[in-house]
Amino acid sequence: MPFPSSPRARSGPRRRSLLAVGSTALALAGCTAGSEDPGGGSDGRSAAERRARARAARDSEGLVERYDAVIAARPALAGLLRPLREEAARHARVFGEDRRKAPSSTAPSASSAPSSPSASPASPASSSAAAVPGNDKDALAVLAAAERELADRRARTLLDVPGELARLLASVSAAGAAHVYLLTEGGA
């Protein structure tokens, strides 16, 4: 006698599918254009939002500096690290749009060379970017720790910024978490 089919048969998408779709949606939401804050500066952004974007740009620039230091000291890791470094550089450019658009701003352009690590005392690059561990595993661990700390800080910031910037920070934070995985589990 055959057993009846289980009443708990899966009828919807699997958890992995939802996670993949959710992270893709977050990335797309973070890449939309426009601002939801009609008040504030001439570009529609408040001073607090501009400060948060500038901080995020400096943090991403500091991360790029860390990647550059590790790639220079550990060239065998360049194949793994270059795509992650390029993504961090794109994040710096996106967050730094305010500095490039504002005609009265004296801040350096995020599309050029990264700013010095001293620009943001709490940035991941505030410790010496030139101090790269002597082996590949430790160098990757240092980068993973910097990515993790920055992704966590950006995730905590989400509640304090308006919708568009919150979506962008969420997307970049998710990318940072993926970088941590690649640096610790996926690529090593």
Side-chain angles (χ1 to χ4, degrees):
M1 174 171 168
F3 290 103
S5 64
S6 170
R8 295 183 46 104
R10 296 184 190 253
S11 61
R14 301 240 191 283
R15 185 179 347 186
R16 288 184 195 144
S17 300
L18 290 175
L19 289 173
V21 169
S23 62
T24 303
L26 251 177
L28 291 174
C31 295
T32 59
S35 174
E36 292 180 358
D37 183 14
S42 62
D43 62 355
R45 294 187 175 136
S46 69
E49 182 179 358
R50 285 192 298 275
R51 282 191 305 273
R53 288 179 69 93
R55 166 75 185 266
R58 285 190 311 269
D59 288 345
S60 290
E61 290 165 355
L63 201 53
V64 168
E65 289 177 357
R66 281 196 173 216
Y67 275 106
D68 288 343
V70 172
I71 289 170
R74 313 293 309 159
L77 296 173
L80 170 67
L81 299 180
R82 276 198 183 102
L84 304 177
R85 182 232 180 259
E86 291 307 313
E87 194 165 323
R90 277 192 300 275
H91 297 158
R93 286 190 299 272
V94 169
F95 284 124
E97 286 177 349
D98 284 347
R99 293 188 288 173
R100 287 192 305 273
K101 288 180 182 177
S104 63
S105 175
T106 59
S109 171
S111 63
S112 62
S115 66
S116 71
S118 62
S120 177
S123 77
S126 62
S127 61
S128 176
V132 176
N135 64 54
D136 291 355
K137 183 179 179 183
D138 290 343
L140 291 174
V142 166
L143 282 174
E147 286 272 15
R148 183 179 296 114
E149 186 274 328
L150 186 53
D152 290 348
R153 184 165 7 114
R154 286 176 170 162
R156 286 190 304 270
T157 305
L158 294 176
L159 298 175
D160 300 329
V161 295
E164 184 64 29
L165 180 56
R167 285 189 294 273
L168 181 58
L169 282 169
S171 176
V172 173
S173 181
H179 290 184
V180 170
Y181 173 78
L182 292 171
L183 291 166
T184 58
E185 313 276 331

